[in-house]
Short mmCIF file of all heavy atoms in Angstrom, two decimals:
data_model
loop_
_atom_site.label_atom_id
_atom_site.label_comp_id
_atom_site.label_asym_id
_atom_site.label_seq_id
_atom_site.Cartn_x
_atom_site.Cartn_y
_atom_site.Cartn_z
N LYS B 715 108.76 106.77 23.57
CA LYS B 715 107.33 106.19 23.64
C LYS B 715 107.21 105.18 22.55
O LYS B 715 107.13 105.53 21.38
CB LYS B 715 106.34 107.30 23.44
CG LYS B 715 106.17 108.24 24.66
CD LYS B 715 105.24 109.37 24.36
CE LYS B 715 105.35 110.42 25.44
NZ LYS B 715 104.84 111.69 24.97
N ASP B 716 107.30 103.87 22.94
CA ASP B 716 106.94 102.85 22.07
C ASP B 716 107.58 102.90 20.71
O ASP B 716 106.90 102.91 19.68
CB ASP B 716 105.39 102.93 21.87
CG ASP B 716 104.74 101.60 21.75
OD1 ASP B 716 105.45 100.64 22.17
OD2 ASP B 716 103.63 101.49 21.26
N PRO B 732 113.17 117.97 16.76
CA PRO B 732 113.49 119.04 17.68
C PRO B 732 114.28 118.62 18.84
O PRO B 732 114.28 117.47 19.17
CB PRO B 732 112.08 119.66 18.05
CG PRO B 732 111.11 118.63 17.66
CD PRO B 732 111.71 117.77 16.60
N LEU B 747 124.26 102.44 26.23
CA LEU B 747 124.70 103.55 27.10
C LEU B 747 123.52 104.12 27.83
O LEU B 747 123.67 104.74 28.87
CB LEU B 747 125.38 104.68 26.28
CG LEU B 747 126.81 104.32 25.72
CD1 LEU B 747 127.35 105.54 24.93
CD2 LEU B 747 127.75 103.97 26.80
N GLY B 777 130.62 101.22 16.55
CA GLY B 777 131.33 102.46 16.70
C GLY B 777 130.42 103.54 17.12
O GLY B 777 129.25 103.58 16.73
N VAL B 779 130.27 107.95 17.64
CA VAL B 779 130.92 109.31 17.61
C VAL B 779 129.95 110.24 18.35
O VAL B 779 128.78 110.28 18.11
CB VAL B 779 131.06 109.71 16.14
CG1 VAL B 779 131.57 111.12 16.09
CG2 VAL B 779 132.00 108.76 15.50
N LEU B 785 137.48 112.72 22.81
CA LEU B 785 138.78 112.07 22.79
C LEU B 785 139.38 112.09 24.18
O LEU B 785 138.95 112.97 24.99
CB LEU B 785 139.68 112.84 21.85
CG LEU B 785 139.20 112.87 20.36
CD1 LEU B 785 140.12 113.74 19.54
CD2 LEU B 785 139.19 111.43 19.81
N GLN B 799 141.87 99.10 20.75
CA GLN B 799 142.39 98.00 19.85
C GLN B 799 143.25 97.08 20.71
O GLN B 799 143.17 95.84 20.56
CB GLN B 799 143.28 98.59 18.74
CG GLN B 799 142.54 99.38 17.72
CD GLN B 799 143.52 99.70 16.61
OE1 GLN B 799 143.90 98.86 15.84
NE2 GLN B 799 143.83 100.99 16.41
N GLY B 806 148.27 93.54 19.09
CA GLY B 806 149.59 93.96 19.51
C GLY B 806 149.76 95.44 19.20
O GLY B 806 149.06 96.00 18.34
N THR B 819 145.56 108.48 8.07
CA THR B 819 145.84 108.88 6.71
C THR B 819 144.51 109.05 5.97
O THR B 819 144.31 110.07 5.27
CB THR B 819 146.66 107.80 5.98
OG1 THR B 819 147.80 107.49 6.79
CG2 THR B 819 147.12 108.30 4.60
N GLU B 867 132.60 126.42 9.54
CA GLU B 867 133.53 126.12 8.51
C GLU B 867 134.20 124.73 8.70
O GLU B 867 134.94 124.29 7.80
CB GLU B 867 134.63 127.21 8.38
CG GLU B 867 135.74 127.12 9.34
CD GLU B 867 135.39 128.01 10.65
OE1 GLU B 867 134.26 128.29 10.90
OE2 GLU B 867 136.41 128.47 11.24
N VAL B 877 130.22 110.96 4.59
CA VAL B 877 129.68 110.65 3.32
C VAL B 877 130.42 109.48 2.71
O VAL B 877 129.86 108.48 2.15
CB VAL B 877 129.67 111.83 2.39
CG1 VAL B 877 129.38 111.46 0.91
CG2 VAL B 877 128.57 112.88 2.86
N VAL B 889 122.22 110.78 14.21
CA VAL B 889 121.42 111.90 14.73
C VAL B 889 121.97 113.15 14.18
O VAL B 889 123.14 113.48 14.52
CB VAL B 889 121.35 111.97 16.22
CG1 VAL B 889 120.56 113.15 16.73
CG2 VAL B 889 120.65 110.66 16.80
N PHE B 895 123.29 116.36 4.18
CA PHE B 895 123.90 115.00 4.41
C PHE B 895 122.82 113.94 4.18
O PHE B 895 123.02 112.95 3.46
CB PHE B 895 124.56 114.89 5.79
CG PHE B 895 125.01 113.54 6.14
CD1 PHE B 895 126.15 113.00 5.68
CD2 PHE B 895 124.19 112.75 7.02
CE1 PHE B 895 126.53 111.71 6.01
CE2 PHE B 895 124.59 111.49 7.42
CZ PHE B 895 125.76 110.97 6.87
N ARG B 902 116.90 106.19 4.67
CA ARG B 902 115.64 106.48 5.35
C ARG B 902 115.87 107.61 6.34
O ARG B 902 116.98 107.88 6.83
CB ARG B 902 115.14 105.26 6.12
CG ARG B 902 114.23 104.38 5.27
CD ARG B 902 113.80 103.11 5.91
NE ARG B 902 113.66 103.23 7.40
CZ ARG B 902 114.25 102.38 8.23
NH1 ARG B 902 115.09 101.42 7.76
NH2 ARG B 902 114.07 102.49 9.52
N ASP B 914 108.74 107.68 9.72
CA ASP B 914 109.85 106.74 9.41
C ASP B 914 109.73 106.43 7.89
O ASP B 914 108.92 105.56 7.56
CB ASP B 914 109.73 105.52 10.28
CG ASP B 914 110.92 104.52 10.04
OD1 ASP B 914 111.66 104.75 9.11
OD2 ASP B 914 111.02 103.57 10.84
N ASP B 918 113.29 110.05 -0.09
CA ASP B 918 112.58 110.83 -1.06
C ASP B 918 111.19 111.11 -0.60
O ASP B 918 110.67 112.30 -0.74
CB ASP B 918 112.58 110.12 -2.42
CG ASP B 918 113.97 109.93 -2.98
OD1 ASP B 918 114.78 110.92 -2.71
OD2 ASP B 918 114.25 108.96 -3.64
N LEU B 933 110.69 120.67 9.11
CA LEU B 933 111.42 120.87 7.90
C LEU B 933 111.41 122.31 7.34
O LEU B 933 112.41 122.85 6.95
CB LEU B 933 110.96 119.92 6.78
CG LEU B 933 111.43 118.56 6.77
CD1 LEU B 933 110.79 117.65 5.68
CD2 LEU B 933 112.97 118.45 6.76
N SER B 934 110.29 122.89 7.44
CA SER B 934 110.10 124.30 6.96
C SER B 934 110.98 125.23 7.85
O SER B 934 111.51 126.18 7.33
CB SER B 934 108.65 124.75 6.99
OG SER B 934 108.25 124.97 8.25
#
Side-chain angles (χ1 to χ4, degrees):
Chain B
K715 289 176 194 158
D716 216 16
L747 288 182
V779 175
L785 295 176
Q799 293 187 66
T819 308
E867 79 268 26
V877 166
V889 174
F895 171 78
R902 272 176 30 233
D914 182 351
D918 296 327
L933 277 179
S934 73

